[in-house]
Amino acid sequence: MAETTPHIPVLLDEVLEGLSPLPGQRLIDGTLGAGGHTEAILKAVAPHGQVLALDADPSALEIARRRLAAYGDRVRFVNANFAQLAAVARDLDFFPVHGVLLDLGLSSMQLDAVERGFSFQSAGPLDMRYDPNSPTTAADLVNNLAQDELADLIYRFGEERRSRAIARAIVAARPLHTTQQLAEVVARGVGGRRGDRLHPATRTFQALRIAVNDELDALRAALPAATSILAPGGRLAVISFHSLEDRIVKEFFRRESRDCICPPEQPVCTCGHRATLHIITPKPITVTSTEAALNPRARSAKLRVAECMEQ
Ligand SMILES: C[S@@+](CC[C@H](N)C(=O)[O-])C[C@H]1O[C@@H](n2cnc3c(N)ncnc32)[C@H](O)[C@@H]1O
């Protein structure tokens, strides 16, 4: 993957304030990408603090490894899904940690790499995998799912109201091989509407990317995993880019910050649940208009931070 557009780390100051890394501490970046957040954390924990950096995409690791070469063995790189982050940290004896960062979704480098098939702006293969060894590509879903399954997927993961018409158009045009073919079929299927801010294929592409990479289940697995390896007072920071992700983070933080999670109508607590997190950001932090102008990718970003409680 070429380093075309440099990936600008989103909400960098706010992430640092949220994680509050101090010299000598150990933190995990579950979504290394181009290594922008990791580098800032490495500076904050200098001279001896360490970062364990994970990415599902080996080519992102390669780029970040070159960028962060000067930090030597203060940064460790692992090609893994963040759903596995607690297991990876335990294997490397890298726990408890003072912070975990998840900056979800894809990087500008992945979006710009035509051969990865994330963008509808150019004719790439229908791929969309972060991990090139994972079994399912976007082409597999687009060309093999039944029309109803495709419509459900586009509705669930794209929150696309016109999912049925889109699925019908896709099935009629199969087999599809490129991102541009798919974008054209979707646009023809739904018709552009005057005043639409988004390209008509935006939500369909989001849905396929989420499904191909099983993104929501990975996030659901990563949140308790991260919490389980935080030191008391350690922080978990998550940047999400759409409402499906943000809802999962918000509900997890809410649940883990409560001592009882019994249904409200139940008169006596039987769950035995104890709060593990204290919410630092009751409302998510969003970007300033200056950051949004400099980095359009950041516009929909929401940062939530929680702190691990003493047990
Ligand atoms: C938004 S980018 C991170 C950018 C990074 N914070 C920076 O400053 O350069 C997200 C990265 O997370 C990776 N990623 C997405 N889902 C993942 C998962 N479940 N496990 C591991 N890495 C994942 C992507 O491959 C991508 O490189």
Side-chain angles (χ1 to χ4, degrees):
M1 188 168 63
E3 282 168 83
T4 44
T5 317
H7 181 93
I8 308 169
V10 172
L11 290 165
L12 183 57
D13 292 343
E14 293 83 353
V15 164
L16 286 178
E17 195 183 324
L19 289 174
S20 312
L22 295 173
Q25 289 184 336
R26 282 197 300 207
L27 288 91
I28 296 181
D29 183 348
T31 49
L32 173 67
H37 287 109
T38 285
E39 181 163 29
I41 296 167
L42 283 164
K43 287 180 179 160
V45 299
H48 301 301
Q50 294 184 322
V51 175
L52 171 60
L54 273 58
D55 204 296
D57 180 354
S59 52
L61 286 166
E62 218 177 279
I63 290 169
R65 208 188 274 276
R66 282 200 297 273
R67 170 184 185 164
L68 301 173
Y71 295 90
D73 60 8
R74 290 213 293 122
V75 52
R76 295 162 83 169
F77 302 95
V78 178
N79 182 201
N81 194 299
F82 58 55
Q84 307 298 328
L85 71 84
V88 171
R90 291 203 169 93
D91 276 357
L92 297 175
D93 207 14
F94 198 96
F95 76 101
V97 292
H98 287 95
V100 176
L101 171 64
L102 298 176
D103 173 17
L104 302 172
L106 78 171
S107 67
S108 320
M109 303 173 309
Q110 290 164 325
L111 189 62
D112 289 347
V114 176
E115 74 281 6
R116 303 298 297 271
F118 286 109
S119 168
F120 45 73
Q121 310 284 7
S122 37
L126 278 170
D127 191 322
M128 302 194 193
R129 289 170 300 174
Y130 296 137
D131 172 1
N133 294 316
S134 66
T136 308
T137 65
D140 294 330
L141 299 179
V142 161
N143 291 320
N144 298 323
L145 285 183
Q147 186 173 314
D148 278 354
E149 291 174 315
L150 200 50
D152 288 348
L153 182 155
I154 295 170
Y155 182 74
R156 258 179 80 202
F157 297 146
E159 299 187 290
E160 170 60 85
R161 281 179 295 117
R162 294 166 288 181
S163 59
R164 308 259 147 228
I166 293 173
R168 201 176 316 120
I170 291 175
V171 168
R174 300 201 286 214
L176 295 174
H177 302 292
T178 71
T179 49
Q180 215 162 39
Q181 277 179 323
L182 175 62
E184 281 165 14
V185 168
V186 174
R188 248 186 285 128
V190 298
R193 286 199 196 153
R194 282 214 297 171
D196 269 1
R197 265 193 324 119
L198 296 177
H199 184 287
T202 305
R203 291 196 179 87
T204 301
F205 271 62
Q206 172 186 304
L208 287 167
R209 200 200 74 213
I210 291 176
V212 163
N213 296 293
D214 200 9
E215 292 186 25
L216 302 183
D217 282 343
L219 177 59
R220 284 189 195 99
L223 296 172
T227 308
S228 75
I229 51 164
L230 280 177
R235 298 269 178 104
L236 170 57
V238 187
I239 306 175
S240 62
F241 290 87
H242 54 78
S243 56
L244 297 170
E245 290 170 343
D246 185 54
R247 202 173 305 142
I248 290 172
V249 181
K250 183 171 79 178
E251 283 171 9
F252 177 78
F253 281 11
R254 193 180 287 159
R255 177 188 162 97
E256 286 310 311
S257 63
R258 286 166 50 184
D259 267 342
C260 166
I261 52 170
C262 292
E265 63 277 11
Q266 195 169 302
V268 180
C269 171
T270 52
C271 69
H273 187 264
R274 286 287 161 264
T276 53
L277 293 176
H278 166 67
I279 296 174
I280 303 293
T281 50
K283 287 214 157 50
I285 297 171
T286 53
V287 295
T288 59
S289 48
T290 318
E291 181 169 353
L294 286 172
N295 185 9
R297 201 186 79 81
R299 277 183 202 148
S300 54
K302 285 188 174 159
L303 169 66
R304 293 186 186 268
V305 182
E307 182 173 296
C308 181
M309 295 168 68
E310 301 273 352
Q311 290 304 305

